[in-house]
Amino acid sequence: MQRIPEPELMNDFAQARAYAMADFEEPHSHFIELFKEQFPESFDDAALDLGCGSGDITVRLAEVFPQCRIYGVDGANRMLQFARNRIDHLMLHERIKLIHALLPDVDLPLKRFNTIISNSLLHHLDSPAMLWQMVNDYSQSGSRIFMMDLMRPESREQAEKMVRKYSDSEPDILKEDFFNSLLAAYRVDEVEAQLKDAGLDYLTVKAVSDRHLVIYGTRP
Ligand SMILES: C[S@@+](CC[C@H](N)C(=O)[O-])C[C@H]1O[C@@H](n2cnc3c(N)ncnc32)[C@H](O)[C@@H]1O
């Protein structure tokens, strides 16, 4: 099945609210578990979270690595508002700073990061080269890169099945969002080709569930 793009930013209030309220316990705890498996050592400097959205992954990473700081960047203010509420509620505002910016145009407080993460940003991008260029620009030798995203199924029917299986109890707007995201997602071979073009062959791409892939590695 051919990729069908979806809009980059999640600026619609109902969409942002449904996403922020959704139950992502399974995939998001899987993200953290796999990150820790790859990079078990604690760190106390700043991480960069690209497309942080409503901040669930950002907060989970901050909780698991209590010494670190995180800069979360997103282009949708609607999503960032939910992230701000979450961060304030957990009193993490000293450690997590949110930046509103349409990537790749962002003014970051650091030139390089030792940890760069991202969850579910890649499938929003029609020009994924932009994301890989950011990884090149903002990492340095030893930087840890870890990203997770959806993986496009073989057919619309399979995508529909996944929506029923994994989001049946969620509101319709979230189901629709999930379906569109599955259709917009890249496949392992496509991501590998993107990484090769970007000179990021040191990163590994791997399917980790029926609908998720991860991209990870340490910059040589
Ligand atoms: C599916 S959400 C994922 C949010 C969060 N990482 C999570 O896992 O819960 C994707 C986010 O990427 C943001 N986004 C997409 N394209 C972007 C761009 N070019 N610059 C900044 N943010 C972008 C959207 O606004 C949205 O909040």
Side-chain angles (χ1 to χ4, degrees):
M1 173 180 58
Q2 279 224 320
R3 175 175 187 267
I4 301 175
E6 68 170 354
E8 277 205 354
L9 298 184
M10 292 174 62
N11 247 331
D12 176 73
F13 178 72
Q15 181 194 31
R17 185 179 54 188
Y19 192 90
M21 303 297 161
D23 179 7
F24 287 120
E25 171 55 28
E26 193 230 306
H28 288 188
S29 60
H30 198 198
F31 179 107
I32 297 294
E33 195 185 301
L34 293 170
F35 179 93
K36 274 185 5 195
E37 223 172 88
Q38 258 338 289
F39 307 116
E41 60 288 347
S42 178
F43 63 102
D44 60 6
D45 55 355
L48 177 62
D49 182 0
L50 297 170
C52 66
S54 48
D56 187 52
I57 291 277
T58 332
V59 160
R60 284 172 191 258
L61 192 79
E63 285 177 332
V64 170
F65 295 101
Q67 311 302 324
C68 78
R69 290 171 293 121
I70 308 174
Y71 292 98
V73 185
D74 203 282
N77 241 331
R78 295 271 196 217
M79 291 291 269
L80 286 177
Q81 192 52 52
F82 286 102
R84 260 177 227 116
N85 296 346
R86 201 187 295 271
I87 289 161
D88 287 349
H89 178 71
L90 295 167
M91 297 201 293
L92 285 167
H93 48 272
E94 295 291 336
R95 294 178 49 218
I96 301 179
K97 302 292 178 202
L98 298 174
I99 299 169
H100 180 219
L102 181 61
L103 298 169
D105 296 323
V106 57
D107 193 9
L108 289 168
L110 298 172
K111 282 194 163 37
R112 302 276 184 269
F113 291 82
N114 287 322
T115 307
I116 301 179
I117 64 161
S118 181
N119 185 56
S120 282
L121 169 67
L122 177 63
H123 73 264
H124 283 272
L125 307 177
D126 244 355
S127 304
M130 169 277 268
L131 177 61
W132 307 126
Q133 189 56 47
M134 288 203 72
V135 169
N136 273 321
D137 292 348
Y138 288 99
S139 64
Q140 58 193 351
S141 176
S143 291
R144 296 115 40 102
I145 318 298
F146 190 91
M147 300 189 180
M148 192 186 237
D149 214 293
L150 291 168
M151 202 165 53
R152 192 166 76 254
E154 294 294 340
S155 63
R156 291 179 78 91
E157 292 68 33
Q158 268 194 21
E160 278 161 6
K161 256 192 203 160
M162 282 180 183
V163 172
R164 279 198 297 277
K165 182 167 177 191
Y166 295 111
S167 64
D168 213 29
S169 56
E170 298 288 359
D172 285 349
I173 190 165
L174 197 82
K175 287 186 200 162
E176 194 187 335
D177 213 16
F178 182 32
F179 180 72
N180 291 336
S181 297
L182 284 166
L183 267 44
Y186 294 98
R187 301 179 63 85
V188 169
D189 58 326
E190 293 168 342
V191 180
E192 280 171 346
Q194 293 165 17
L195 295 175
K196 194 161 182 268
D197 285 349
L200 289 169
D201 312 59
Y202 66 88
L203 296 177
T204 300
V205 188
K206 191 167 85 176
V208 290
S209 78
D210 58 349
R211 64 204 187 285
H212 290 110
L213 55 78
V214 286
I215 303 141
Y216 63 90
T218 302
R219 180 166 170 170

